Amino acid sequence: MRILIVDDEPGMHDSYRRCFAPVGGGDGAALDAMAAELFDDTPASDEPIDYALTHALQGLDGVTAIEKALASDEPYAVAFIDVRMPPGIDGKETAMRIRALDPDINLVMVTGYSDFSPIEISKAAGPADKIFYIAKPFEVAEVTQMAAALAHRWQVDRQLAEARAALAAQIVQLEEQGAELAANESKAMHIATHDSLTEAPNRLAFLRALTDYARGQSGFAAAMLDLDRFKLVNDTLGHLAGDELIRRVCTVLEDNVPEGGMVARLGGDEFGILFESPGEEAAAMACERIVLACATHLRIFGHAVETASSLGFVYAEAGSDREPIDLMRRADLALNDAKQGGRGIIRVFDESMDESIRFRRRIEGGLAQAIERGELSLVYQPIVAREELEVVGFEALVRWNTEEFGPVSPALFIPIAEESNLIHELGDWILEQSLTVIKDWPGQYVSVNFSPRQFRRHNFVGHVLECVQRAGVEPSRVQIEITETAIFDDADRAADTLYKLRQMGFRIALDDFGTGYSSLYNIRKFALDSLKIDRSFIDGMGRERESAAIVHSIIHLGRALGLGVIAEGVETEVQLQALRVAGCSHLQGYFFSRPVAPDLAAEIANRRYMVDPSVGAENDEDQVGNGTHG
């Protein structure tokens, strides 16, 4: 333990040396008790303390010793300082300077006479609990006990200071960890409530915001928006382009949502929109502006992309019963209705949509069991050649007759099957039944409709070929009818698929021609056998010059490309003669026969020529939907 002695009398230094010399004695017990009572502490142990003394004859020498000790990180525990030390600085000044350098050292002022009171010295070199006094002449035990008690206290103070410093460091570390944890929690919350692609709020955040809106007192609109033909961008330009389109559209929505509103990405190309509105009419106008803003041309990775959207919304009046999940469901129903209406459509929810969707779900549930219950059947409508009205094939059409609803129109249940993925099971059943019936015909082909989802099915070509081979039917006796929508959504893939089918011997007919968005270039590159003119044009031939012109154009186009042309919906002899004159190669419609049951179809096939157009008229009279997959 290091002790500093500052005194101008050399004899006093000898006295201090004798005091701290290692000698034994029993007189210290009383002073030990006195020190414990004075400092509320006891010495660390009964073992003698090894003191290292430094002697200074003047105050400045003592100050220098303190500076060196601190620089070498070997501070003094106690300094014994004489008050009067002429001619240098006195003890008060020495103590004050030492205290300024080392606030932890214990100072013992030693004097027989002083020019200063203890209070004055304490004020200059305090604090009071670190400055003590011994009068000259002093006893050895008095000095040694004072030194031992103060050295022990100095050591305890240092340990306490280290403990406090360690605790402070731990507190700082805990605060840093707390701040880091808070930052991570904030980041995790952001990730949990925001879309990683657009940084817009996600479905969870949308639902929370919708809950807050519903609890509020203001009227508001909850809308859902879906991009039109987004899959086409993904399929033709790639998913990176699709992602970029999503980001750009999100920005457009954020720029056009009413002030204070919210735009969230719910998933895929679907967005949710919330905003306050004074009424349903004002909400509809705001939604129209949003949809109009989305109808624009964008440059995506150097490609021109035309964007459009469909939107459905529900308006929640102030004070009404506003359950968030139900509002979201209603907005979704309105969006579905908008998408069925075409592109760029806006629909506001009304109760009829809810009833409609419940009915559709009942239909979907019944359709899933229709095959097992034997409720499905196929009828066949003849396709005849122009010249001698020879029956060259039949189009297979599906019918569904239920106990609960009676006959269900194919126009209703086919789209439901398409949306619910039941179309694959239904389509397989139609193909299987058609291949079975064809064996009763002398040579005609069967024309089977395939939906866009079936056409995009993985290994579609292999699946169809396997069915035909298993039935023992030549591919040339099967005509695959596909719509423009199915092949032009992904023209390159469709071209490859159709080429493979033609190579295997299948016939290919492009159904409902003239109602889609085909181009001459695309038609030329597809492997087709015939074009089927939609019945709406045939029906309008006698009333509209435009329809007649379209029919003639399609026939001439087909002949120029070496394709057959089948006119659907021929119902009168006038239409028949006009089509014959125009050069239409094949005809189909009620004028020749309604769709008929398999046994009657076999009879017509074996007769081969449509001699009596009334044949089959009494059959299936309540059925419409000519040219429909079912």
Side-chain angles (χ1 to χ4, degrees):
M1 191 71 65
R2 302 192 72 193
I3 294 180
L4 175 65
I5 310 295
V6 184
D7 201 299
D8 63 332
E9 297 181 16
M12 288 303 299
H13 288 280
D14 291 338
S15 296
Y16 280 111
R17 290 187 183 96
R18 287 193 297 272
C19 287
F20 292 107
V23 295
D27 296 336
L31 289 176
D32 286 343
M34 185 183 302
E37 183 178 355
L38 177 63
F39 302 114
D40 193 25
D41 207 343
T42 56
S45 68
D46 293 333
E47 295 181 2
I49 301 174
D50 183 15
Y51 295 106
L53 303 182
T54 299
H55 297 273
L57 294 174
Q58 288 295 321
L60 291 176
D61 296 337
V63 173
T64 301
I66 292 293
E67 290 175 340
K68 292 180 179 179
L70 291 174
S72 62
D73 196 24
E74 294 179 339
Y76 293 98
V78 184
F80 287 87
I81 305 172
D82 187 23
V83 175
R84 304 186 72 187
M85 294 182 291
I89 62 175
D90 58 28
K92 175 187 172 184
E93 180 68 20
T94 302
M96 186 174 65
R97 294 190 183 187
I98 289 176
R99 176 66 70 207
L101 293 171
D102 187 351
D104 297 326
I105 192 171
N106 292 289
L107 303 178
V108 181
M109 308 307 296
V110 183
T111 184
Y113 175 80
S114 174
D115 296 328
F116 310 102
S117 67
I119 294 177
E120 290 179 293
I121 298 175
S122 179
K123 287 182 178 179
D129 65 336
K130 287 186 179 294
I131 188 164
F132 304 91
Y133 302 89
I134 294 179
K136 290 182 180 179
F138 50 72
E139 297 290 337
V140 171
E142 187 180 8
V143 172
T144 56
Q145 289 298 321
M146 179 71 77
L150 293 179
H152 176 66
R153 180 181 178 184
W154 178 82
Q155 191 173 31
V156 170
D157 285 347
R158 283 176 62 88
Q159 292 173 348
L160 181 59
E162 290 175 358
R164 285 174 176 168
L167 181 60
Q170 289 179 346
I171 291 174
V172 171
Q173 184 180 15
L174 288 174
E175 289 175 345
E176 291 175 349
Q177 290 176 345
E180 183 179 358
L181 181 62
N184 289 338
E185 183 179 1
S186 177
K187 183 178 179 181
M189 182 60 68
H190 181 84
I191 293 173
T193 57
H194 286 75
D195 171 53
S196 60
L197 178 63
T198 62
E199 283 299 311
N202 62 9
R203 181 178 290 272
L204 175 61
F206 181 79
L207 187 55
R208 288 180 177 177
L210 180 57
T211 301
D212 292 339
Y213 271 75
R215 291 173 179 171
Q217 299 303 315
S218 302
F220 68 93
M224 290 191 182
L225 179 143
D226 194 81
L227 297 184
D228 297 329
R229 298 179 63 196
F230 172 72
K231 185 179 183 301
L232 180 60
V233 176
N234 260 349
D235 291 345
T236 56
L237 302 182
H239 289 281
L240 290 179
D243 290 347
E244 179 62 17
L245 177 59
I246 289 293
R247 282 190 287 264
R248 299 277 291 277
V249 168
C250 184
T251 300
V252 171
L253 294 176
E254 290 170 341
D255 291 342
N256 288 276
V257 69
E259 185 177 357
M262 173 188 186
V263 174
R265 185 185 178 213
L266 305 183
D269 60 330
E270 187 176 38
F271 292 88
I273 303 171
L274 290 172
F275 58 90
E276 291 187 355
S277 178
E280 185 175 282
E281 185 176 348
M285 293 176 62
C287 290
E288 286 177 0
R289 288 193 295 269
I290 291 172
V291 170
L292 183 62
C294 288
T296 184
H297 295 273
L298 299 174
R299 297 292 297 181
I300 305 294
F301 299 155
H303 300 277
V305 176
E306 181 179 350
T307 61
S309 62
S310 300
L311 184 146
F313 77 95
V314 58
Y315 180 73
E317 295 183 356
S320 61
D321 182 19
R322 308 187 298 187
E323 204 283 317
I325 297 297
D326 189 58
L327 289 173
M328 201 167 176
R329 181 184 65 84
R330 293 183 176 201
D332 192 43
L333 290 176
L335 174 61
N336 287 337
D337 192 71
K339 289 164 66 175
Q340 291 176 12
R343 301 176 197 158
I345 300 296
I346 297 172
R347 290 284 189 270
V348 59
F349 173 83
D350 62 53
E351 295 299 331
S352 65
M353 295 179 185
D354 213 3
E355 180 60 35
S356 173
I357 198 66
R358 281 196 290 266
F359 177 72
R360 287 171 64 88
R361 286 173 180 165
R362 291 170 65 188
I363 291 293
E364 180 180 334
L367 185 59
Q369 306 296 325
I371 298 175
E372 181 179 338
R373 294 172 180 171
E375 295 176 345
L376 295 177
S377 62
L378 288 183
V379 291
Y380 302 87
Q381 186 170 40
I383 300 172
V384 301
R386 176 187 60 179
E387 297 298 338
E388 299 179 355
L389 303 184
E390 179 185 3
V391 178
V392 296
F394 291 84
E395 180 177 2
L397 302 168
V398 65
R399 298 291 181 256
W400 182 23
N401 192 36
T402 70
E403 292 184 5
E404 183 177 3
F405 305 109
V408 181
S409 169
L412 174 62
F413 71 80
I414 291 299
I416 293 176
E418 177 84 4
E419 293 172 10
S420 65
N421 226 25
L422 291 171
I423 195 67
H424 297 301
E425 182 180 355
L426 179 60
D428 290 346
W429 182 85
I430 292 172
L431 180 59
E432 180 183 339
Q433 294 298 310
S434 299
L435 294 174
T436 300
V437 172
I438 202 174
K439 296 176 182 179
D440 296 331
W441 303 343
Q444 292 87 353
Y445 64 82
V446 64
S447 191
V448 180
N449 292 271
F450 287 87
S451 75
R453 178 165 289 189
Q454 285 178 276
F455 190 70
R456 292 191 292 267
R457 184 179 189 175
H458 176 67
N459 196 27
F460 172 74
V461 175
H463 177 72
V464 173
L465 181 62
E466 180 184 356
C467 292
V468 170
Q469 291 176 338
R470 187 169 56 245
V473 175
E474 289 296 324
S476 59
R477 297 191 66 190
V478 177
Q479 178 167 276
I480 295 174
E481 287 196 27
I482 197 73
T483 63
E484 295 177 75
T485 302
I487 60 177
F488 294 131
D489 274 353
D490 187 351
D492 292 335
R493 179 182 179 277
D496 181 63
T497 300
L498 295 178
Y499 175 77
K500 291 178 181 177
L501 290 169
R502 278 288 303 279
Q503 288 292 100
M504 294 174 182
F506 291 99
R507 297 168 177 265
I508 309 294
L510 186 57
D511 198 12
D512 299 337
F513 187 75
T515 61
Y517 44 89
S518 55
S519 67
L520 294 180
Y521 171 77
N522 282 331
I523 294 174
R524 187 182 63 182
K525 78 174 186 177
F526 289 134
L528 302 174
D529 288 283
S530 60
L531 306 176
K532 296 194 76 173
I533 306 176
D534 187 71
R535 64 181 298 146
S536 60
F537 298 122
I538 305 301
D539 183 56
M541 283 178 60
R543 303 187 307 271
E544 304 165 355
R545 295 179 58 186
E546 293 82 359
S547 292
I550 290 173
V551 170
H552 281 79
S553 297
I554 294 174
I555 292 172
H556 292 159
L557 172 64
R559 295 180 66 180
L561 295 176
L563 303 177
V565 178
I566 304 172
E568 294 184 302
V570 180
E571 297 185 356
T572 67
E573 187 162 354
V574 172
Q575 292 173 341
L576 170 63
Q577 297 306 327
L579 289 166
R580 274 177 159 173
V581 170
C584 186
S585 62
H586 294 84
L587 309 128
Q588 177 182 348
Y590 284 8
F591 180 77
F592 307 106
S593 172
R594 292 176 178 270
V596 297
D599 55 347
L600 191 52
E603 183 180 326
I604 294 173
N606 283 291
R607 191 169 63 231
R608 296 196 61 175
Y609 295 95
M610 297 302 300
V611 178
D612 183 0
S614 65
V615 171
E618 70 280 6
N619 293 280
D620 204 24
E621 290 185 357
D622 59 338
Q623 303 294 348
V624 291
N626 177 37
T628 308
H629 179 4

